[in-house]
């Protein structure tokens, strides 16, 4: 499942960088399997469960920027991801769950 999300995310990021090279988009590498030592190091560095997959540094619609969480058609947010969504929106950011390239493209071209 994770690889499907990864392919959607990679396609979207690649397209965004080609279409909008002046707008920074970057991944937040919170997911994936890691060994105990690496997981402890990353936690100490500030990795936080539930943080969205990607951030787009582009204020619009009165919001500070855009967080994007990529999911498969059947994928569901974890409780930590839902809490992050609520907190992000409360603090003035857009937050979107994206399940396909077409959805991402429509979202960005609004």
């Amino acid at each position: 499942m994770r690889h499907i999300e990864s392919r959607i995310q990679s396609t979207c990021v690649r397209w965004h960088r080609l279409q909008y090279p002046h707008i920074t988009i970057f991944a937040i590498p919170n997911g994936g399997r890691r060994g105990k030592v690496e997981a402890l190091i990353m936690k100490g560095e500030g990795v936080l469960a539930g943080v969205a997959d990607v951030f787009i540094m582009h204020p619009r619609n009165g919001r500070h920027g855009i967080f994007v969480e990529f999911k498969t058609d059947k994928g569901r947010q974890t409780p930590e991801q839902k809490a992050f969504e609520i907190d992000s929106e409360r603090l003035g950011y857009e937050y979107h769950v994206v399940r396909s390239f077409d959805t991402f493209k429509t979202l960005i071209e609004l």
Side-chain angles (χ1 to χ4, degrees), residues 1-108:
M1 277 277 222
R2 185 69 181 144
H3 295 293
I4 295 169
E5 290 176 9
S6 177
R7 285 194 298 271
I8 296 167
Q9 179 175 332
S10 295
T11 299
C12 293
V13 169
R14 189 172 32 250
W15 173 83
H16 189 278
R17 287 184 173 157
L18 289 170
Q19 294 298 311
Y20 304 97
H22 59 287
I23 298 174
T24 301
I25 181 173
F26 61 90
I28 302 162
N30 272 354
R33 297 191 188 275
R34 294 179 173 81
K36 280 186 177 181
V37 173
E38 187 176 5
L40 285 171
I41 290 169
M42 292 184 75
K43 187 172 183 178
E45 291 174 344
V47 168
L48 180 65
V51 174
D53 294 317
V54 165
F55 184 70
I56 303 169
M57 294 175 52
H58 183 65
R60 67 177 192 174
N61 303 324
R63 302 301 217 160
H64 304 308
I66 308 163
F67 283 104
V68 180
E69 177 65 33
F70 292 96
K71 293 288 181 194
T72 62
D73 286 337
K74 295 182 181 182
R76 300 290 168 245
Q77 289 175 287
T78 65
E80 294 86 0
Q81 289 170 334
K82 191 66 179 166
F84 183 81
E85 175 183 2
I86 291 166
D87 203 32
S88 297
E89 290 177 336
R90 179 182 62 81
L91 293 170
Y93 294 88
E94 284 185 53
Y95 183 103
H96 300 276
V97 176
V98 169
R99 299 176 188 282
S100 71
F101 169 71
D102 291 334
T103 300
F104 180 79
K105 185 174 182 232
T106 299
L107 162 74
I108 297 304

